[in-house]
Amino acid sequence: MDKTIYFLLVCNVISNSAYGMIAPFLPQKLQSKDVDENMIGIIFSVYSASVIIMSLFVGKVFDRFGPVYTIAYGLFQMGVAIILFGFIEPMNSPLTITFYAICVRLLQGCSSAIIQTTCYIIITKFYPSMQTMLVGYIEATTGLGIILGPLIGSCLYSKLEFQWTFYSYGTCFLFFAIAACFLVETAP
């Protein structure tokens, strides 16, 4: 396997980890700011809803911009969205927090759709002889990311507190966006 495949697998892990990294601490933080429990459920749910909707359009984006720019953009957008989540800390209005968190989670979901769908497109388009094996690897890294997300989130939160959990993890995505320009090849 080449560097593009390894990079895609790591991107899929970190993209899926972003989904659950907030699970260990965000509900309590939002409750402490008087955000309604039902709204907290919506904040979590809109991520998946935006993944479903955005996934339908990623193919067109990929065809227009190609693999390198599509995945780099998805990683960059995810990094920005995660960093934006850190700005909830100084907010006090439950309505403002709810609206802001929903918007950021929608952006994260769109980013996740871009990253994950692009991984599948690259594998099926550029690696047809390894396609079935690599789809299995992508699925395995999806599960790994979902497992690691809460672990990463709780570890960062215990060491860095609320804001810096998002600033640090979001910055990692920005570095991955830059790395995509060098590590994703347009053909094997």
Side-chain angles (χ1 to χ4, degrees), residues 9-19 75 145 169 172-173 176:
L9 295 175
V10 172
C11 286
N12 201 49
V13 169
I14 65 168
S15 174
N16 281 286
S17 71
Y19 170 76
L75 290 163
Y169 205 55
C172 291
F173 277 86
F176 270 89

Side-chain angles (χ1 to χ4, degrees), residues 96-167:
T96 302
I97 293 167
T98 301
F99 179 76
Y100 182 83
I102 287 172
C103 290
V104 172
R105 285 296 276 182
L106 286 169
L107 187 61
Q108 285 180 324
C110 288
S111 306
S112 182
I114 293 168
I115 296 165
Q116 292 179 53
T117 307
T118 301
C119 288
Y120 279 106
I121 293 171
I122 291 171
I123 282 171
T124 57
K125 185 172 183 172
F126 297 119
Y127 300 94
S129 64
M130 301 169 60
Q131 179 178 332
T132 54
M133 178 186 71
L134 293 177
V135 167
Y137 286 175
I138 289 288
E139 286 297 314
T141 57
T142 296
L144 182 60
I146 291 169
I147 291 167
L148 291 177
L151 297 172
I152 291 167
S154 61
C155 181
L156 290 174
Y157 183 71
S158 69
K159 303 290 182 209
L160 302 174
E161 296 297 322
F162 188 83
Q163 287 177 298
W164 285 100
T165 296
F166 294 106
Y167 300 160

